[in-house]
Structure formats: C-alpha cells, structure tokens
Amino acid sequence: MSPLDFLNSRLSVPSRQLGEPAPSVQQLEQLLAAAVRAPDHGKLTPARLLLIRGEARGKLGAALAAIHHRIEPNAPEAAFAKDRERYTFAPLIVCVVARIDEDHPKIPAQEQILSAGCVAYNLLLGAQALGYGAQWLTGWAAYDRDAAGLLGLAANERVIGFVHIGTVLKPAVEGPRPVLTDIVSELKL
C-alpha cells in the first residue's frame, strides 16, 4: 500500500447521497480539531466553523429561498425548491467562514482565504478518514451579503464553503482526473 493511497482515493460524495448518522460528538470534536490544523501564516486563525444540523438545516433553506425570491422574484419555482432542500440531505453541514484582515501589515488577504480553504479541505479528508462521505459546496448563498447576515457573518467574513457530511447512502462515482502532462510544467530560466 502506498502512503498516498488515501489521497488518491479521495472523492466527494454528492450531498444528496449522504444521510444519517452524522459523526458522533466525539468524532465531530476530533474532526474539527484536525481540520483546523491548516497552514496559517502569522497564526491569525483566519477561519471559524459554523455547525448547521437538526432543524436549522431546513430553516436555513427556507430563509435562503426567501432571500432568493426577493432578489429574483421571477426565477422558476424549481430554483426556490432547490434552495429549500439544499441543506436537508446530509445530517451535518459545516460552514467554513474566512475572517479576513484586509489591512494586515504582513499577511495578504489571499493567504488568509487559502488557509480557510485548507480547513474546508481538511474537513473533506477527515470525514473520509472517519468513514463518512462529504462534499464541499458553495452556491449563490456563499457570496450573498443578505445570506451572510442570516449566517451571522461580520463585514470582514465570507463563506468559503458549506461542507456537507454524513453516512454514504450511495457510493460516489469516480470522475475524470487531470492528466499530469497537461497541467505540469517546469520552470526554465
């Protein structure tokens, strides 16, 4: 077995294919502690985690559908239904929030955002290591200020992603992977 087999087997399980049970309290604590061990230039801790579970999932979907309806009242009903259902499949959604200090004298905002992104990726890897499935999603709500207000985000915060976690009900299908020769080159000075 290669030490890289775990990374080579990583794949996202669509949130619609995730169900109960979610990680136990102990597993969740271990998962979150491992996830925040991400690269963090300057030790700023530029990410925080918002757990969405139980009835909050459906309430979030309904509130987001209402925001969407205000923004785009003539959108098809199917779009609003998708908003309402989006958070009801996986029993646990971890919203990864980046806390950005735009004026930091040493650490560029991009590094802070990337650090928070690593936390989201660690959640994917950690969920799989614990035997669960996970999918990192964004959607319009990750970029909307009204949705940010609904989630309790400060002006300097933004959603990096919603990581849906649960028991795999239907295995994910392996998708195409990049061919290394198409994406790898060598610097020649």
Side-chain angles (χ1 to χ4, degrees):
M1 177 179 260
S2 163
L4 296 177
D5 282 349
F6 179 73
L7 287 178
N8 286 324
S9 68
R10 195 219 68 79
L11 51 95
S12 294
V13 178
S15 64
R16 290 177 177 271
Q17 295 171 209
L18 299 172
E20 296 285 354
S24 68
V25 172
Q26 180 183 14
Q27 288 173 318
L28 180 58
E29 187 174 313
Q30 292 170 341
L31 175 60
L32 299 178
V36 298
R37 292 183 58 95
D40 178 5
H41 185 190
K43 304 293 182 238
L44 299 179
T45 315
R48 71 179 179 89
L49 306 174
L50 176 62
L51 305 181
I52 305 165
R53 51 191 168 175
E55 290 182 9
R57 298 172 303 147
K59 290 178 180 179
L60 174 62
L64 290 174
I67 291 171
H68 187 178
H69 192 267
R70 278 198 315 269
I71 295 168
E72 195 178 3
N74 295 323
E77 176 53 37
F80 305 130
K82 184 176 182 181
D83 291 334
R84 284 190 294 274
E85 295 173 358
R86 183 182 312 259
Y87 302 96
T88 61
F89 302 106
L92 170 67
I93 297 103
V94 181
C95 180
V96 180
V97 177
R99 300 184 298 186
I100 312 301
D101 180 352
E102 294 280 354
D103 300 317
H104 195 281
K106 230 177 124 180
I107 317 302
Q110 178 174 332
E111 290 188 23
Q112 298 169 54
I113 293 166
L114 291 170
S115 178
C118 287
V119 171
Y121 187 61
N122 282 351
L123 284 168
L124 292 179
L125 293 175
Q128 184 171 322
L130 291 172
Y132 294 94
Q135 185 178 30
W136 176 351
L137 298 170
T138 50
W140 68 267
Y143 308 104
D144 183 84
R145 286 318 298 172
D146 288 337
L150 178 67
L151 295 167
L153 274 59
N156 69 320
E157 295 182 320
R158 68 177 78 167
V159 172
I160 293 299
F162 298 94
V163 180
H164 299 242
I165 302 170
T167 297
V168 177
L169 302 177
K170 179 181 175 190
V173 176
E174 180 73 41
R177 300 295 176 185
V179 176
L180 291 181
T181 56
D182 291 344
I183 62 168
V184 177
S185 59
E186 190 159 340
L187 177 64
K188 297 184 194 267
L189 295 176

